Amino acid sequence: MSGILSHIDVAAIKHDLEHFVSATNARERLTPESLELLAGCEREIESGSVTELSYERVLKVMIDELDEHMIIWKRAAISRASDFLHLGLQYLYLLTAPDLKTCLSDIISLQALYLPPSYHLKVVEQEETVELSVDYGSFASPIPYFKDDVVMALGLFIFREVVGDDFDYLVMKFPDDRLHLDETLISQVTSAELTQHQGPMTVVMTKSDYLSTNKFYNETIRASAATAVADMQRELQKDSTLTDKVAAIIQESERPAAVTMEQAAEKLNKSVSTFRRNLNEEHT
């Protein structure tokens, strides 16, 4: 799903870009060439033609030129939850979860509403801890570490809203090939042990925190938010056909001709048999 962006995705990209430009004073610091790239991206956003990859390529140029590789943690260190979280019914749904485990399950099961299209999260429960890690599949993101920071910092804010300000990660494991890592800055946001390892971005929390309940849980508010999210999902399904999504996957692959049906099905979180059936239903 790396190329198809819904109206929700485009709104989120617009929000993120505006905040990045404002927080970094980018319009005053970028070269004329980069400013033109930014203007082109903004035009794509307004027309609704922006893709995840085209946006990330422009963002990478700005991050590198401005040396703002740690901008997410800079923002997290000085922001309140209300400043850092996207506003919207889909986030209200997360914040009204009865417990952290349900909140995280909601993020994963409804990832199209919360995460970049190429981004996936994996949860592994151990006896005393729970690990949350990221997975891009075969999507070659130009800014993987920036996206890792967004998801894990945002998750920290969301989890604290759900189960209390005392929540924190136990350990944060960064890929060992990550550059521009400022542990001092991250430590202003979390007291987690910071390490690097041969693997994807991973956070570890205690099992007891994972099972913590929301003291302010209200069944009526939760039900209303659930209804709104269900309506959003129906709208998302109307926005693009399966054929559109497959075309985007092929277009943004480094080797378009080599994309297999199995790979496309995996990206769309479908079994091959379901994928074939859905395509046939669209008379493809």
Side-chain angles (χ1 to χ4, degrees), residues 116-143:
S118 67
Y119 210 97
H120 301 270
L121 293 175
K122 178 182 179 182
V123 177
V124 177
E125 294 189 35
Q126 309 285 358
E127 185 173 344
E128 297 183 355
T129 60
V130 175
E131 289 195 353
L132 173 64
S133 59
V134 305
D135 176 24
Y136 290 96
S138 60
F139 180 68
S141 172
I143 51 168

Side-chain angles (χ1 to χ4, degrees), residues 257-276:
V259 175
T260 66
M261 182 169 290
E262 289 75 13
Q263 290 171 331
E266 180 182 4
K267 275 185 172 290
L268 296 170
N269 294 318
K270 295 177 180 288
S271 67
V272 174
S273 59
T274 300
F275 180 68
R276 288 179 184 274

